[in-house]
Amino acid sequence: ASAKLNAQIAKVSGVIPQVAVVLGVCGGTSALSAANADVCIMAEGAELFFTAPFTSAAKGDKVADAGTAAAAAKAAIVAPTAEEAAEKAAHIVGLLPANNLTGPAIFEFEQPTAALAAGAEPAKAAAAVVDKDSAVELYAGFGKSVYTAFATVGGNAVGVVATGKTLCHNCVAKASRFVRLCDAFSVPVITIVDTEGFVPSATDDIAGGIREAARLAATYA
């Protein structure tokens, strides 16, 4: 039954938006289903893991707080309560189209009140471009030098990517995942760039940002 469920999730991936809301303990194949959703929202007290943390610890894996909402970097949103998690899910469902053949939604809107300034933090730069109070940030706890959010501009649903001063491989993974999501459902992407480049190489596996640059270029292409 779990295999059939995950097969169906894979089948409609990129066709119908899928939003998972995790409010309690979600483990094993259930966690796989939640992680495969386009957007995964967790309450702060929820747990998301494939292998139970106590089993992992018994085998010598000592990752602190494994399975918690704070550690679930793939969770798009971590909300303080179950009610707020449900509200965030409803907001995102409203911004996304019903399927990949329908266009983005259109909403009533208020003009932004902030002004776009050079050197502004990514979130503040985005706030100066999108409609007032329309942004819903995704992946705030992951790749923090890149800001990604669903919002509206002139009442039209859009995705927003705003960069910070330096980009790490986590930032690139975050931006790439978000842009692919927008592309799947034909949601326009606004990109605000203010960056000096990639962080210096830490290992031979990260070759001066070239892999990250190639990944971003391929995603946007």
Side-chain angles (χ1 to χ4, degrees):
S2 295
K4 288 181 179 179
L5 174 60
N6 280 295
Q8 286 299 112
I9 290 172
K11 187 175 181 179
V12 300
S13 178
V15 179
I16 302 168
Q18 299 178 66
V19 178
V21 182
V22 180
L23 304 178
V25 177
C26 183
T29 52
S30 296
L32 183 63
S33 300
N36 277 335
D38 296 306
V39 178
C40 181
I41 300 170
M42 296 179 66
E44 282 185 355
E47 295 181 57
L48 180 67
F49 53 80
F50 192 68
T51 301
F54 53 84
T55 302
S56 179
K59 293 183 176 180
D61 185 355
K62 303 296 184 180
V63 176
D65 301 320
T68 64
K74 293 296 184 182
I77 296 174
V78 177
T81 65
E83 291 77 10
E84 291 184 56
E87 288 176 4
K88 292 288 187 181
H91 194 165
I92 289 174
V93 168
L95 288 169
L96 288 170
N99 56 62
N100 64 342
L101 298 180
T102 60
I106 299 177
F107 302 86
E108 294 183 357
F109 66 95
E110 294 183 46
Q111 295 284 353
T113 55
L116 181 61
E121 292 295 318
K124 291 182 178 180
V129 174
V130 304
D131 296 335
K132 183 180 179 182
D133 299 328
S134 68
V136 181
E137 184 179 3
L138 274 64
Y139 314 113
F142 182 68
K144 295 182 180 181
S145 286
V146 169
Y147 174 86
T148 53
F150 285 119
T152 64
V153 172
N156 295 274
V158 299
V160 180
V161 177
T163 69
K165 288 299 180 185
T166 55
L167 305 180
C168 65
H169 64 281
N170 285 341
C171 298
V172 172
K174 171 179 173 177
S176 296
R177 178 172 181 170
F178 181 72
V179 171
R180 288 197 303 271
L181 171 59
C182 293
D183 182 54
F185 299 106
S186 299
V187 176
V189 177
I190 295 174
T191 306
I192 304 168
V193 181
D194 182 14
T195 183
E196 297 171 355
F198 298 97
V199 296
S201 300
T203 68
D204 291 338
D205 187 49
I206 305 174
I210 187 64
R211 293 186 182 182
E212 286 80 2
R215 182 172 186 176
L216 270 181
T219 299
Y220 272 91

